[in-house]
């Protein structure tokens, strides 16, 4: 396990695997320490409230500090991400993948350049929106794959370090008019615009739930009258939805971009993976299932490393 090692490049070996970088934080490079950090439920762990505050996601499972609160917020969401639940929705992923492949083929014929990070962010954003909210924003069909999806995520991480030290900036951005924010800080504008859209989706889900017109999507479950009343607010649904959308978009998109780079630059990896995939993809048009791909050891290894 390598969480991070924040040392200057001095040409010397680090003094040890655990380094304190500030009074509240240590960075660890020691695989034997994995179980101490990612402990079982029998050994309770709490998040650092200062670290969590920089993202401004009050009420979400991500922002829960203690284990009990995290469990309460996470429980309604967890069932949507079980293996069986994902298998039942595999067609949604396949539909978006086929669309992306079509765009790649078109770009190949036209000899045009494709921004892979924007393309993969559009792909994963379409999938998580469809799964969590029941609608597809069709970012894959928009010009430049609607690069503001990627820009909004990048904006979050560009601002995260600053917000860690000055969390008041999060409050200022939340109350600042969007047109002004667009002029002053475009990445922050992309981020705020997305949160505004999710707030409206959360409010609509609450309205549907109160009229018993929910459609059974993840957001409908979070808005259902059976949920504790303090968890049924448009603001909390916005933050929970934002955490899900960012997590469902950025992590997978980054893995795809990194994996594509290695496949492009490493012929040995590309050839070995191609040979293994022939077991479940005898033709380029074959569409193996998730279960099929999980049986390929090198494929699983590549996916895990990226």
């Amino acid at each position: 396990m390598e969480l991070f090692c924040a040392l200057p490049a001095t040409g010397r070996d680090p003094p040890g695997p655990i380094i304190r970088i500030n009074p509240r934080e240590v960075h660890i490079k020691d695989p034997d320490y994995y179980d101490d950090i990612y402990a079982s439920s029998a050994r309770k762990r709490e998040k650092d409230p200062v670290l969590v505050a920089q993202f401004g996601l009050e009420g979400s499972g991500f922002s829960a500090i203690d284990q009990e609160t995290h469990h309460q917020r996470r429980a309604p969401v967890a069932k949507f991400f079980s293996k069986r639940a994902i298998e039942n929705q595999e067609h949604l992923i396949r539909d978006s993948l086929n669309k992306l492949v079509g765009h790649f083929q078109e770009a190949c014929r036209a000899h045009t350049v494709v921004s892979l990070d924007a393309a993969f962010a559009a792909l994963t954003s379409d999938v998580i929106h469809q799964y969590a909210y029941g609608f597809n924003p069709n970012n894959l069909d928009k010009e430049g794959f609607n690069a503001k999806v990627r820009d909004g995520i990048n904006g979050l991480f560009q601002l995260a370090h600053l917000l860690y030290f000055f969390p008041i900036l999060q409050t200022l951005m939340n109350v600042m008019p969007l047109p002004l924010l667009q002029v002053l800080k475009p990445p922050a504008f992309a981020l705020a615009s997305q949160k505004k859209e999710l707030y409206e989706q959360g409010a609509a889900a609450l309205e549907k739930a109160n009229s018993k017109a929910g459609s059974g999507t993840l957001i409908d479950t979070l808005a259902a009258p059976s949920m504790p009343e303090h968890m049924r607010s448009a603001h909390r649904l916005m933050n929970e939805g934002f955490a899900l959308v960012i997590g469902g978009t950025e992590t997978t998109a980054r893995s795809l971009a990194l994996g594509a780079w290695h496949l492009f630059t490493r012929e040995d990896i590309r050839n070995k993976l191609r040979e293994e995939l022939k077991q479940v993809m005898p033709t380029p048009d074959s569409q193996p299932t998730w279960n099929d791909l999980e049986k390929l050891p090198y494929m699983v290894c590549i996916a895990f490393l990226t």
Side-chain angles (χ1 to χ4, degrees):
M1 178 188 63
E2 182 174 349
L3 294 185
F4 193 75
C5 188
L7 288 176
T10 62
R12 296 178 296 175
D13 291 335
I18 302 179
I19 301 163
R20 181 171 294 282
I21 64 167
N22 65 46
R24 305 179 64 89
E25 187 175 357
V26 294
H27 283 183
I28 301 172
K29 183 180 180 181
D30 183 354
D32 293 332
Y33 213 72
Y34 186 93
D35 291 332
D36 286 285
I37 299 173
Y38 299 101
S40 67
S41 58
R43 301 174 62 188
K44 296 183 179 181
R45 294 287 185 264
E46 291 190 355
K47 293 183 180 179
D48 180 3
V50 175
L51 183 66
V52 169
Q54 66 183 303
F55 297 101
L57 296 175
E58 298 86 358
S60 68
F62 174 84
S63 69
I65 304 301
D66 61 273
Q67 185 171 305
E68 289 77 13
T69 302
H70 180 267
H71 178 74
Q72 182 188 39
R73 297 175 183 175
R74 186 64 183 172
V77 175
K79 65 180 181 180
F80 284 89
F81 293 96
S82 67
K83 183 174 181 179
R84 175 168 294 183
I86 298 299
E87 286 176 343
N88 291 337
Q89 299 298 321
E90 195 169 332
H91 63 283
L92 297 179
I93 302 173
R94 192 178 301 282
D95 289 345
S96 291
L97 276 173
N98 289 339
K99 187 181 294 187
L100 179 60
V101 170
H103 288 307
F104 284 166
Q105 292 172 335
E106 184 179 337
C108 182
R109 289 191 294 268
H111 301 285
T112 56
V113 175
V114 173
S115 174
L116 287 183
D117 58 346
F120 291 144
L123 167 70
T124 54
S125 179
D126 282 357
V127 170
I128 189 61
H129 274 91
Q130 180 73 32
Y131 190 54
Y133 286 90
F135 78 96
N136 190 332
N138 292 313
N139 293 303
L140 285 170
D141 291 330
K142 295 177 182 177
E143 183 179 358
F145 297 111
N146 192 15
K148 75 173 186 179
V149 173
R150 173 203 59 195
D151 295 341
I153 295 171
N154 289 342
L156 174 65
F157 294 105
Q158 288 171 13
L159 293 169
H161 187 68
L162 188 62
L163 293 173
Y164 178 83
F165 295 100
F166 305 101
I168 187 63
L169 294 177
Q170 184 73 249
T171 303
L172 293 177
M173 287 192 299
N174 289 339
V175 299
M176 191 176 294
L178 288 180
L180 180 58
L181 194 60
Q182 185 175 20
V183 174
L184 296 177
K185 194 72 174 177
F189 167 77
L191 205 61
S193 297
Q194 188 170 26
K195 291 186 77 171
K196 180 177 180 294
E197 292 172 2
L198 294 179
Y199 181 91
E200 293 169 352
Q201 290 292 330
L206 287 170
E207 203 171 311
K208 285 195 300 181
N210 292 332
S211 64
K212 299 182 179 180
S215 57
T217 60
L218 192 156
I219 197 67
D220 286 330
T221 297
L222 296 179
S226 57
M227 291 289 291
E229 195 59 34
H230 71 278
M231 296 175 65
R232 297 183 69 238
S233 71
H235 184 75
R236 194 196 91 80
L237 293 182
M238 173 190 72
N239 286 336
E240 190 71 82
F242 187 74
L244 289 169
V245 167
I246 292 296
T249 299
E250 196 277 338
T251 53
T252 311
R254 184 63 57 91
S255 296
L256 288 170
L258 182 61
W261 182 82
H262 283 294
L263 288 173
F264 180 76
T265 58
R266 292 282 302 275
E267 186 177 2
D268 57 328
I269 294 177
R270 185 168 65 251
N271 290 340
K272 186 171 182 178
L273 185 60
R274 183 175 287 162
E275 285 302 310
E276 187 182 69
L277 282 172
K278 288 180 180 178
Q279 299 175 38
V280 294
M281 293 183 67
T283 68
D285 294 330
S286 301
Q287 295 193 344
T289 65
W290 180 14
N291 284 330
D292 293 332
L293 295 173
E294 277 191 318
K295 297 173 184 176
L296 306 178
Y298 194 66
M299 176 73 183
V300 171
C301 177
I302 293 296
F304 176 77
L305 290 176
T306 55

